[in-house]
Every structure is written in structure tokens, then in C-alpha cells.
């Protein structure tokens, strides 16, 4: 796997394998990233603006017209026909790049989107020689080796670029990049440009009508970085080398009615973010976990009781199945997970305070209620 985690820890909720005295790679609830910090907490969970937002862009494919024609008769079909007449973009990224006002909706009509122009971008010049900001993936393994005598495998470091380098080279790692902070030279990580509050919305009758297919061309299919107010709704994302959807250092996000399937690592990954709502997600066939809210904003760190001021990220009415892990989240602070199903995974739930480089350790104040965790321990 691209994370190249080569450590062994015998701890509740984590599984590991030791073969011939070698600490081998195992899927666990952690990932490598640049040094990240929590948002200031002034954001809110955004509201879906529907299919009639006055600020919008329309994206379509050559197949959209026939797919819309095949839709059941009704108001949704009529609205799709109206939007098709106003389609000006074949690329979701092009539509995002054209945004001039916050809270703009990008309406994605039925079809499959490979974003071939951006998938084909190869780093050149400065972008081909960037130093990563990732931590040493063997740090923990070497520590454990020093106290157990177990040998650690060698591995290459994962890729983690600084935020300014993400802005300068947005498609080194990302098929679609939504980067909301135009002033990375200051200390603020708040969203401050025209893409704040962008809503990427599939207009089909179900998530499978709109497919964003990364075809393993980039590490992340969709990256929302410091993208406060982002909404992603009603589409399928698949075949990313790492994450289908990645939300980082973002204050306010809504992920609703998404399918995240067949990705090398994570389906939905949120990291160092606040005011997040993940709902009605179906995550499956992912090499690590279906849903990962790692290092959620540590709102209640000073509370000595189970009482909370509020939760940073809420996960509800979702299914995560046929993954290595149904749910994972190192330092999943102030996460409220309820009315979800985690089944047919190798491990149902793994949540921990283990992996270094994650803000908010040790984990605290997560709440789980009314979830169904069953039929896991798959081989």
C-alpha cells in the first residue's frame, strides 16, 4: 500500500501480523500528511442549496443527453434537461477553476468523468522536485523494534506536500483539487477565496448516475483543502490510489449520498477538520477503511467528563462494508457516529491514539450509539 506503514502494535482494536520476526505492513487507522492544525471553529455545517442555486456551473459528457432522456418522467428529468442546455464544461476541475463567487454549485450531469486533461498532467520543473513534508513512516516501527528486538522492513516515505505546494502544483497528487486558502503565507488556514462554499452535486436520480473515475491516475480523486463550506452530494467516486474524497483543514463540510468504492486506501477521509457531516454514504471495496475521520478538531480536550460542548464531525445513516476496516480514525476526537452499519469488513471498527504526527492525541470524547457492527473478521 502507498502508506507503507511497517509497524506492529498489539493493541485493542488494531490487528497486526508478525512473520519470521519481521514487522510487516498492516492496515491501521492512520495515514501520513503534512503537519496540520485545527480550524478556528467559526464555521458551520453547510446546507445543500438544491438544484436551483442562482450561482452555478454545469458539467456534462457526450453521454449526458441520452442518460437524461432515459430518466423517469418527472421534475428531476425536466431540471436535468434545463441544465443540459446550459452546459459549458466537460471537466469538473475546469468548472471549479471558473468560479468567481462563493457558494457556487457545480452541477454534474449524468455520465462518467475521468478528468483526462488533469489525469495526464505530469509534474515538471518545480513541481517535479518538491520535497515532501511526510513524517518518517518507520519511526514507530523502529521504536517498537528497539524494545522488542523485532526487525523492521524498509519502505519509502509517503507523499505529503505543504499547502503552498498543493496550490502551486494542484495536480501532482489530485485529480480534482478544491483549495480555499489564497493567503498561505499568513498563519490563518481559513477559506478566503471564491471557491469557499462550493457545492459539487450530481444531478442524477441516484449516486451511480454520476461517476468520477480516477482510474488510479492520482493519489486523491477529490481533495478539499482548507475549503470551508464545501458540499459533495449524489455521485460515485472510485479507483483512487489513496483517497476517493479527502477533506483537510476544513471548517464546515457536508458529504451526502456518496458512493466511495474500489480505492487503494480510504473511501471518505477527513483530517484536522471541524463542523463536518458525513451521511448516507456507501463505502466499499477500499483497501484501508471506508470512512476515516482522523484528527477531528479536539473541541473537548479540556473537559474532564464525558460531557461535550459539541461534536466536530457527525457520521450517520451510512454503510461501510467489504473494506479492510469499516471505520478507522487516529485521534478521532469529538466524533459522533450513529445509525450506521459496519459489516463484512476484515475489521469493523479501529480507533486509536497510536500513530505519531496526528494532532489531538490522545483521542477523547468520541461517541458511538445505535450502530450495527456485524459479520466482520473477513479474511
Amino acid at each position: 500500500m502507498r502508506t507503507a506503514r511497517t509497524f506492529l502494535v498489539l493493541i485493542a482494536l488494531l490487528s497486526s501480523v508478525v512473520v519470521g520476526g519481521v514487522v510487516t505492513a498492516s492496515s491501521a487507522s492512520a495515514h501520513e500528511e503534512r503537519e496540520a492544525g485545527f480550524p478556528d471553529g467559526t464555521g458551520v455545517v453547510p446546507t445543500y442549496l438544491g438544484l436551483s442555486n442562482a450561482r452555478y456551473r454545469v458539467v456534462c459528457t457526450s453521454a449526458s443527453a441520452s442518460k437524461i432522456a432515459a430518466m423517469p418522467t418527472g421534475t428531476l428529468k425536466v431540471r436535468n434537461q434545463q441544465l443540459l442546455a446550459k452546459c459549458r464544461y466537460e471537466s469538473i476541475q475546469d468548472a471549479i477553476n471558473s468560479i468567481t463567487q462563493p457558494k457556487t454549485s457545480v452541477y454534474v450531469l449524468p455520465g462518467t468523468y475521468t478528468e483526462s486533461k488533469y489525469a495526464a498532467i505530469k509534474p515538471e520543473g518545480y513541481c517535479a522536485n518538491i520535497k515532501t513534508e511526510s513524517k518518517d513512516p518507520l519511526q514507530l516501527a523502529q521504536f517498537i523494534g528497539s524494545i522488542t528486538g523485532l526487525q523492521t522492513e524498509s519502505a519509502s516515505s509517503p507523499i505529503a506536500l505543504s499547502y503552498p505546494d498543493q496550490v502551486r502544483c494542484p495536480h501532482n497528487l489530485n485529480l480534482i483539487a478544491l483549495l480555499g486558502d489564497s493567503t498561505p503565507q499568513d498563519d490563518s488556514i481559513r477559506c478566503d477565496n471564491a471557491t469557499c462554499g462550493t457545492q459539487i452535486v450530481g444531478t442524477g436520480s441516484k449516486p451511480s448516475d454520476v461517476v468520477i473515475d480516477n482510474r488510479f491516475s492520482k493519489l486523491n480523486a477529490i481533495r478539499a483543502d482548507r475549503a470551508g463550506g464545501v458540499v459533495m452530494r449524489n455521485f460515485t467516486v472510485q479507483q483512487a490510489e489513496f483517497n476517493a474524497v479527502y477533506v483537510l483543514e476544513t471548517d464546515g463540510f457536508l458529504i451526502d449520498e456518496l458512493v466511495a468504492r474500489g480505492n487503494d486506501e480510504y473511501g471518505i477521509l477527513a483530517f484536522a477538520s471541524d463542523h463536518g457531516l458525513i451521511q448516507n454514504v456507501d463505502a466499499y471495496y477500499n483497501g484501508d477503511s471506508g470512512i476515516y475521520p482522523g484528527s477531528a478538531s479536539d473541541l473537548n480536550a479540556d473537559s474532564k467528563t464525558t460531557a461535550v460542548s459539541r461534536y466536530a464531525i457527525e457520521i450517520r445513516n451510512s454503510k461501510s462494508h467489504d473494506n479492510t476496516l469499516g471505520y478507522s480514525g487516529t485521534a478521532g476526537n469529538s466524533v459522533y457516529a450513529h445509525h450506521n452499519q459496519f459489516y463484512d469488513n476484515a475489521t469493523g471498527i479501529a480507533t486509536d491514539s497510536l500513530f505519531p504526527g496526528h494532532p489531538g492525541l490522545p483521542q477523547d470524547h468520541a461517541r458511538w450509539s445505535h450502530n450495527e457492527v456485524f459479520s466482520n473478521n473477513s479474511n
Side-chain angles (χ1 to χ4, degrees):
M1 293 184 181
R2 290 294 295 271
T3 47
R5 284 171 302 213
T6 55
F7 55 86
L8 165 69
V9 178
L10 300 176
I11 190 169
L13 298 178
L14 291 180
S15 61
S16 57
V17 180
V18 182
V19 180
V22 176
V23 181
T24 60
S26 65
S27 285
S29 48
H31 82 292
E32 290 291 337
E33 187 45 74
R34 68 173 188 253
E35 185 174 348
F38 299 127
D40 61 16
T42 57
V44 296
V45 176
T47 300
Y48 169 51
L49 298 175
L51 294 179
S52 298
N53 185 8
R55 301 174 181 176
Y56 67 92
R57 303 289 189 271
V58 182
V59 187
C60 60
T61 73
S62 59
S64 294
S66 61
K67 290 181 178 295
I68 292 170
M71 291 177 69
T73 301
T75 56
L76 182 61
K77 180 175 182 176
V78 171
R79 182 57 181 148
N80 271 267
Q81 290 170 333
Q82 294 169 340
L83 290 171
L84 180 62
K86 299 179 179 180
C87 178
R88 300 293 181 269
Y89 300 94
E90 296 180 350
S91 160
I92 298 168
Q93 185 69 69
D94 283 349
I96 291 171
N97 293 345
S98 75
I99 290 174
T100 58
Q101 293 179 294
K103 296 187 178 180
T104 295
S105 295
V106 176
Y107 294 132
V108 187
L109 302 188
T112 297
Y113 297 82
T114 61
E115 298 289 309
S116 57
K117 178 170 69 173
Y118 297 98
I121 289 178
K122 303 298 182 185
E124 297 179 351
Y126 176 86
C127 295
N129 297 281
I130 303 174
K131 293 182 178 179
T132 71
E133 285 201 347
S134 61
K135 306 296 183 183
D136 180 1
L138 296 181
Q139 177 182 355
L140 186 60
Q142 290 168 345
F143 167 72
I144 294 172
S146 70
I147 61 176
T148 63
L150 295 175
Q151 178 186 353
T152 58
E153 292 179 338
S154 60
S156 58
S157 294
I159 301 171
L161 303 185
S162 68
Y163 182 80
D165 283 340
Q166 290 285 356
V167 172
R168 189 167 180 176
C169 309
H171 300 292
N172 267 28
L173 309 179
N174 314 300
L175 186 67
I176 298 170
L178 190 60
L179 306 169
D181 180 7
S182 294
T183 55
Q185 67 275 9
D186 63 24
D187 293 333
S188 171
I189 63 174
R190 187 179 302 175
C191 193
D192 61 12
N193 65 29
T195 65
C196 300
T198 293
Q199 304 205 353
I200 304 174
V201 181
T203 65
S205 57
K206 55 187 181 298
S208 60
D209 288 346
V210 174
V211 178
I212 299 173
D213 191 350
N214 185 64
R215 296 185 176 179
F216 301 108
S217 64
K218 300 292 180 179
L219 209 66
N220 308 299
I222 303 177
R223 183 188 192 96
D225 202 334
R226 302 184 181 180
V230 64
V231 173
M232 300 182 219
R233 188 177 188 275
N234 193 34
F235 55 83
T236 294
V237 193
Q238 64 187 33
Q239 299 194 112
E241 288 187 338
F242 207 104
N243 308 299
V245 174
Y246 188 11
V247 180
L248 176 62
E249 286 190 327
T250 290
D251 197 355
F253 69 90
L254 170 62
I255 296 174
D256 185 19
E257 295 187 22
L258 254 61
V259 172
R261 66 188 182 195
N263 302 284
D264 274 357
E265 295 287 338
Y266 300 95
I268 309 295
L269 189 151
F271 191 77
S273 294
D274 197 358
H275 288 103
L277 175 58
I278 300 170
Q279 64 180 8
N280 306 314
V281 163
D282 189 7
Y284 59 92
Y285 298 161
N286 297 293
D288 200 295
S289 54
I291 301 174
Y292 177 106
S295 284
S297 191
D298 199 6
L299 306 172
N300 302 289
D302 295 331
S303 173
K304 305 303 181 185
T305 71
T306 58
V308 299
S309 57
R310 63 176 176 84
Y311 291 100
I313 294 178
E314 181 180 0
I315 304 166
R316 66 189 185 194
N317 302 322
S318 294
K319 297 186 295 182
S320 186
H321 57 96
D322 297 285
N323 309 287
T324 302
L325 300 97
Y327 169 103
S328 66
T330 297
N333 300 300
S334 303
V335 171
Y336 179 26
H338 62 98
H339 297 93
N340 304 291
Q341 293 183 320
F342 302 95
Y343 61 94
D344 290 342
N345 304 286
T347 298
I349 300 169
T351 186
D352 66 274
S353 298
L354 176 67
F355 200 83
H358 285 55
L361 294 174
Q363 177 177 287
D364 61 88
H365 291 86
R367 178 184 177 187
W368 285 73
S369 64
H370 296 91
N371 298 287
E372 298 179 23
V373 185
F374 62 95
S375 298
N376 293 292
N377 303 323
S378 298
N379 188 340

